[in-house]
Structure formats: C-alpha cells, structure tokens
Amino acid sequence: MQIINVKIGELKPYKRNPRKNENAVDAVAASIKEFGFKIPIVIDDNYEIVAGHTRLKAATKLGLETVPCIIADDLTPEQIKAFRLADNKTAELAEWDLDLLDLELDEIPLDMSLFGFTPTENVSERYEAHPSLKELFIVPPFSVLDARSGEWQKRKKKWLEIIKSGNGRAEGLLGGGMKDLGEKYTKTLTGTSIFDPVLTEVLLHWFSPKGGKILDPFAGGSVRGIVSSFVGRDYYGMDLSQTQIDANRENFAKVADNTDVFNQPLKAPTWVCGDSLHIDESIKEDEFDMLLTCPPYFDLEQYSDDPADISNMNYGDFLAAYETIFAKSVAKVKDNGFIAVVVGEVRDEDGNYRNFIGDTINAIEKAGAHYYNEIVLITMLGTLPIRIRRQFEAGRKVGNTHQKALIFLKSKGDTNALREYLDDFTDTRILTPMKKSILVFLKGRAVKKKELETYEFDCT
C-alpha cells in the first residue's frame, strides 16, 4: 500500500462525518509536533477523507502544507462508508488497564497531559477514582520485585541515609575477599550484608496493619526495627549480640526526635539481647500481627564465636534449633497473622544446594502456619560480574541474583475472620510514594526535626 504526500488544500472532509472531534485536535496536534505524522490519512480516489479528519484539523492548526495519505482504492463505496464508521467505533470499544497505564506514564518524562491524559499530579482525584497499584501498595503486588529498578534504588538510598545498619556488625561476615574486591574496583563493600529497607517497608505494608506488632527472632541490624517505627509499627527483635543491640539503639537514637508517617512520635523498637531458643521467655508479649525476619543462612555468614550462635552449628543441629525458634516464635503470632521470612539457598561442602529454602518452609509449617505466597526479590549484582567467570567455569554454578520472601499465614481456615482482619490494612494506603518522598502517606506525612533536617520527608 503506497503512501503519498497530498497538499492539505486538495483534501475534502466528508460532509456527513458523524464524529465530533474538536476536543481532540489540540492533543493530536501536540502528538504530531512531538512524534511526527506517523499515521497517514485514509482517502478515496477523489481525495475525500475516509479516516483522519482530526489529523487533518491538527495538521492545519500546525500550518503543515502536505500530509501523508493512503488511497483506499481497494474498497467499494459501501465498504468505505462502513470503514469510516468502524474505524471510529472500534477505537471506542478498547479500555485502559489503568494500573498498567500508570506504570507506563510513570516511566515517561514527557508531559502526557498534552496528549489528553489526566495529569498524574492530580493525585487525590485519581486516588479516589481509581488508585494505582503503586499508590496502594508502594510497588505492584506481584511475585517478582526488582530491587535494581531506579525507583527502588532511589527509595533505598533515602532510607539508608537514615539507617546505618551495618554498625555493630563485624566487617567481613561474607569474607574479606569481598571487601578487597570492592576496594580494587572502587566499590563500597564491607562484606557485611544489610537487609533491604525498601523490602522491609513493602512487606510491612502488605502484611501488617497500622500500629501492628512485629516480631523478629533474628533481628541482626537496625533496618527492620527503624523502618517499622517510621511506618507506625511496634517492633520487637531479638539478637544474640549485645554489641549489635547497642549499635541498633544508637542508630535509633539519631532519629528518635522525628515523627512517623502518621505524624506521631516515633516509638522506639524493642531490641532484646539473648538466645532466640528462649524467645518465649525473653519476650513476654503475645498476639503479634506479623513475624518478619531474615534468619542466618546456615554458615554463609559467621556472626560470632558464641556456641549458641546457630551459624556455628553443624547443619543437623542448626535445623533442630531453627525449628524450635520458629515453633516458639510462630506461637506468638495471632490467628490470621502473617509470617514473612527472607531466605536464600546455601551450598554444602560438595557445592550442592542444601535445600535450605525447603527446610525453612518445613520448619514454619511444622510450627502451624500455611505456606501462602512466594516472592522473588531481584537483587543488585554487586561484585558478581567480577566473580562469576571463575565460579561458572570451575563448576557451572550460576550467579545467584535473587532472594526469596516466603510468606506464611497462621490461620484456622476462617475466611470471614481473615477478611475482617485484612480490612484494617486499608488504613495505611500510601499516596504516590515512589514518585516523591519515601514517606508520603495518605493518612499523614513525616516532618523534619533536628538531626533529620537534611531529609526531605515533607513534599508540600
């Protein structure tokens, strides 16, 4: 089909065109100006327009002398009449998937209101009319989360300006070689893993209500505790290291004068030093809304020389202690409460996977919770591109670039009770958090105070 350029003055609008198009002319003109004339006008042998009246008016508005056209010389007069109506009607029948539309609009730097889209800045109206997945859930609640995305990394950077969670943990938990590689390739790597604060925020928002009580039997650094405080949760964490506990409290003290996202004073996380095998005695509270933790990946990280540290045990003893800790911890979670455990796979002495993820699932199911969701977190590559060649050539072991968040539900099967409990979660809807501050919520916003003066929590 041949495209020809025709002078605008030679084209003839169809006098009985039933389509009113005045409201669309400016948007189409803006599209032609930005992208060029990409869709030709359809005309008949007499240069009368079959489809493209709005494009003709837009071209005239822009002062174009010629426009690309296609002659529909393969259609009968009856077919031309039918096509003229069908072309307009079929466009009306299509509907937008508003969640996917929002994702697309968020990634486009152009002002899409020029082309007829509702400005995304008009958040309150869009929220009431049709809240996007990001407005409701921080990120769409899919089974794969991408920690490499620009939005995720910007959000994480802001959190890490607040949280110095590596404090209190010995450098080199993953081996000194990681730190050496980081120095060689000018990367910031201590060899110490830090839990992702954005993942913490997402899991808390998805699986706990506003004001909910959070239990963490493997507390480690301060991330989960401090994020819990900022999003209005009541956190209880247990860790074997007093040095770590002291560092966590010191980290929180630096932000303690701030408010949470509901404009309430921050409530200090409760960190308890002790062996989680005795969590039933050390933490007296029960009826927790959520268990959120990241356990030791067996011997992947050596946390201390303490014999009570399960990362020093053989795998059989490790699993026995692991199951006991989860049995006592899950017992403290209320009915219809969720358990979120972030884990990765580990290898044995022969280089084979131990099925640690499967063992974790078994341990929590034995404790009385049901395996409910599996979420994959795609992680940053770090030094993997540097290390992977030797690893892969030596044994065909692929580089691990993900973790899993295993979600469990402690439920007796009462779906009505679960539905009523989940209704509480609607109180913590988030309003466009990825586009602006990390802490802009529907019900309130954090404010600047004292040591947080450099952090832009208030976006007004």
Side-chain angles (χ1 to χ4, degrees), residues 154-423:
K154 284 189 291 185
R155 197 176 186 89
K156 182 176 180 179
K157 180 180 179 181
K158 180 62 72 173
W159 274 116
L160 293 180
E161 289 176 5
I162 304 169
I163 304 168
K164 308 297 182 184
S165 185
N167 295 351
R169 306 184 71 179
E171 290 189 352
L173 293 184
L174 295 176
M178 288 274 289
K179 184 179 180 184
D180 294 340
L181 282 172
E183 292 173 350
K184 179 178 180 181
Y185 292 92
T186 65
K187 295 179 182 292
T188 302
L189 294 169
T190 64
T192 300
S193 63
I194 297 176
F195 197 82
D196 192 314
V198 182
L199 180 61
T200 305
E201 183 187 10
V202 168
L203 293 177
L204 287 170
H205 182 65
W206 288 4
F207 299 110
S208 73
K210 173 185 175 183
K213 288 169 57 180
I214 311 301
L215 179 63
D216 187 349
F218 302 104
S222 62
V223 167
R224 295 189 292 277
I226 292 180
V227 173
S228 294
S229 292
F230 270 103
V231 298
R233 270 61 167 181
D234 195 358
Y235 174 91
Y236 291 77
M238 193 164 185
D239 194 87
L240 197 61
S241 168
Q242 186 63 56
T243 301
Q244 180 67 74
I245 296 294
D246 292 342
N248 291 353
R249 290 171 179 165
E250 181 181 341
N251 287 344
F252 178 77
K254 295 176 181 178
V255 299
D257 291 327
N258 197 33
T259 61
D260 68 16
V261 296
F262 303 104
N263 211 24
Q264 299 299 312
L266 284 186
K267 184 171 182 179
T270 300
W271 282 293
V272 177
C273 184
D275 188 344
S276 292
L277 280 168
H278 309 295
I279 196 170
D280 53 334
E281 301 169 3
S282 300
I283 296 180
K284 300 297 184 181
E285 288 77 5
D286 291 307
E287 292 294 296
F288 283 89
D289 293 275
M290 181 184 184
L291 188 157
L292 171 62
T293 196
C294 182
Y297 293 8
F298 181 44
D299 58 357
L300 184 63
E301 296 184 354
Q302 297 289 338
Y303 293 94
S304 71
D305 296 328
D306 191 329
D309 188 335
I310 63 175
S311 66
N312 292 320
M313 300 177 181
N314 64 57
Y315 196 63
D317 291 340
F318 172 91
L319 283 183
Y322 195 58
E323 290 182 2
T324 300
I325 291 170
F326 273 120
K328 293 182 176 181
S329 299
V330 172
K332 288 182 169 292
V333 177
K334 65 172 60 173
D335 287 339
N336 299 313
F338 288 97
I339 295 95
V341 182
V342 178
V343 292
E345 202 50 83
V346 294
R347 297 184 184 275
D348 61 19
E349 295 81 1
D350 298 322
N352 303 313
Y353 275 159
R354 291 184 180 274
N355 192 28
F356 179 52
I357 293 175
D359 289 335
T360 299
I361 294 171
N362 290 335
I364 299 174
E365 286 187 329
K366 283 183 180 179
H370 307 288
Y371 191 25
Y372 201 72
N373 289 312
E374 179 184 77
I375 299 170
V376 175
L377 177 69
I378 301 174
T379 55
M380 296 295 286
L381 294 177
T383 62
L384 184 61
I386 304 170
R387 299 178 283 115
I388 188 57
R389 178 175 177 177
R390 180 180 300 177
Q391 173 182 320
F392 188 73
E393 287 180 343
R396 286 301 186 269
K397 297 175 185 173
V398 299
N400 193 336
T401 62
H402 71 280
Q403 292 176 300
K404 286 189 177 181
L406 309 177
I407 310 300
F408 302 82
L409 174 64
K410 184 180 178 182
S411 171
K412 296 179 180 178
D414 187 340
T415 56
N416 290 328
L418 175 62
R419 189 176 299 110
E420 290 176 5
Y421 176 64
L422 293 181
D423 284 344

